[in-house]
Amino acid sequence: MKNLSILGSTGSIGLSALKVIDSHPERYRVVGLAAGKNVDLLLQQVEKYRPRAVATLEEESAERIKQCLKGKIALEVLHGTEGLKRLATLEEVDTVLSAVSGAVGLVPTVAGIEAGKNIALANKETLVMAGPLVMDQARRRGVSILPV
């Protein structure tokens, strides 16, 4: 079974990935979910997939999630770049789907590579900003960069 963190779970690529996971629940498990501002959809995803941790970009969104899930579902709720990095480096994660928009995807993607995670990359900005460095690090760590 592959354990996944999906950075950008409420966007079109994240939603498509979750459909694939739904079609093959015996092959994939969602360990981490991250979203920008669509807290309502992220809450629905948390209830369905029961990840170990979630992250949002803004602290206020993370606090809202904590309040909504208080006493219902126990999980780690994070925010900001550090939250995304944490999801990309969770011990049980095999593959990180990096599908967040813009430059924000670079830091968690590199952190995932450094942690030895395979990367399913749907964030072109990461390669535009630091392609040679990212690819060299992936080669040195022996991880795959899979284009999505």
Side-chain angles (χ1 to χ4, degrees), residues 3-137:
N3 293 320
L4 306 168
S5 270
I6 301 175
L7 310 181
S9 67
T10 61
S12 61
I13 294 168
L15 292 172
S16 293
L18 289 170
K19 286 180 186 176
V20 171
I21 290 166
D22 290 343
S23 297
H24 302 283
E26 73 287 352
R27 294 170 64 183
Y28 302 105
R29 186 177 112 207
V30 176
V31 177
L33 292 170
K37 296 180 180 173
N38 196 338
V39 174
D40 293 329
L41 181 53
L42 182 58
L43 283 166
Q44 291 171 21
Q45 292 173 346
V46 166
E47 288 188 32
K48 181 173 183 176
Y49 297 101
R50 302 292 174 134
R52 176 177 165 214
V54 298
T56 62
L57 290 179
E58 297 174 357
E59 185 175 6
E60 297 80 25
S61 298
E63 288 303 319
R64 181 170 165 224
I65 289 170
K66 286 179 187 177
Q67 291 303 315
C68 289
L69 297 177
K70 190 174 185 176
K72 296 177 186 175
I73 299 173
L75 77 158
E76 192 174 0
V77 180
L78 309 156
H79 68 276
T81 302
E82 289 302 313
L84 295 176
K85 282 175 55 177
R86 173 84 174 123
L87 291 185
T89 60
L90 289 169
E91 184 177 335
E92 61 266 50
V93 168
D94 303 306
T95 302
V96 177
L97 172 58
S98 182
V100 293
S101 296
V104 73
L106 177 62
V107 172
T109 299
V110 170
I113 292 168
E114 290 174 353
K117 313 302 182 182
N118 289 316
I119 306 295
L121 188 61
N123 172 281
K124 66 182 176 289
E125 291 84 2
T126 293
L127 293 181
V128 169
M129 291 183 300
L133 296 170
V134 169
M135 297 308 291
D136 182 58
Q137 182 70 357

